[in-house]
Amino acid sequence: MTRTTPPRPLDVEALFPALAPLVRNATRLHPRRGTPTVEHSSIGGPVLWPAGEPWPVCPEASHRIISGREVTGPVPLVPVLQLFARDVPTLPHPTGMDLLQLLWCPVEEFHALDRPLLLWRDSTALDPLLELPPAPHPDADNNLVPRPCVFDPEPVTDYPYADAPEGLRERLLAHDEPFVEEEEEGWSMWDLLIVPGCKVGGFPSWTQEPDWPICARCGGGTEHLLTLTGWEGDRNWIPREEWAVNGYTGGIEPAADQGPQAQANRAPLDVSFGDNGGLYLFACTACPEMPLDFRSDCH
């Protein structure tokens, strides 16, 4: 199913001309629940894994679940993301590597969001493949095991908000102050600038202050590679093809709750990332190996 993001209901560049030179291309992944195979780009689906490579386990020796009970035994990581460059041609990737994989600990949220495993791979050089990965640990937290989702990538344009230059950011915040205080109905710049949900490129959808990593190899800056969040957005960010099932008619009002399918469309991963925060991947494109880094935050 093709998913189309409607145009922004306001001309944000006319309101804030300083945004025009800051615009970036991005790709909304539009994850939706499905049955991906190892040959698909996916969130929460099976991943290509070499049979001769040990399945990774959480490097932390001890784990404590919410009840305070200690978890026993090694904790196998669970697949979170598999992304083939063929499905998002704008994805920067090292020469000879066409596959990005992310796995994390499914037991403890701190370990998941602060110790993810990030890998570049050559998908053509992984045979023979592991036939059956280990099952999630019995104490796995359902909130840390994403629902299997497939993608419907869509090119979009993205603008900075938290990453806007200081003077522009102050003007954006001043514009949005009445909305923060719930004194005004309409469209805040927070509503319109940053593309929400899971995306490649563009700007990180920070819920806290920006924290761009520095490349540990060359000491240079990094580029935002990908954002993973649990919420795909409301109102004008709902794809046109899903307006009816989400109970949205194109106005300033929030979408109505139309039942389980609407909720699955807007929160397909069933993961909260701390508390409606996100996990942000970065890469140093100046280094040939394009080393990966990450940040996470919570609302």
Side-chain angles (χ1 to χ4, degrees), residues 50-125:
E53 185 175 324
W55 189 267
V57 298
C58 182
E60 298 296 320
S62 63
H63 296 77
R64 192 177 294 275
I65 58 177
I66 294 175
S67 66
R69 181 168 56 85
E70 287 283 351
V71 173
T72 60
V75 176
L77 302 189
V78 296
V80 177
L81 170 78
Q82 173 164 276
L83 183 60
F84 290 92
R86 66 176 185 244
D87 294 323
V88 183
T90 57
L91 176 73
H93 54 93
T95 301
M97 301 289 176
D98 66 333
L99 180 61
L100 174 64
Q101 293 178 331
L102 184 157
L103 299 89
W104 70 27
C105 171
V107 170
E108 196 162 340
E109 187 174 69
F110 175 74
H111 296 167
L113 297 180
D114 284 53
R115 311 279 194 276
L117 175 64
L118 307 174
L119 300 168
W120 288 118
R121 290 194 185 276
D122 176 0
S123 66
T124 66

Side-chain angles (χ1 to χ4, degrees), residues 29 81 83 100 199-201 224-228 279-281:
L29 295 177
L81 170 78
L83 183 60
L100 174 64
K199 62 183 176 182
V200 170
H224 172 241
L225 194 69
L226 183 140
T227 283
L228 294 178
L279 182 69
Y280 315 103
L281 305 191

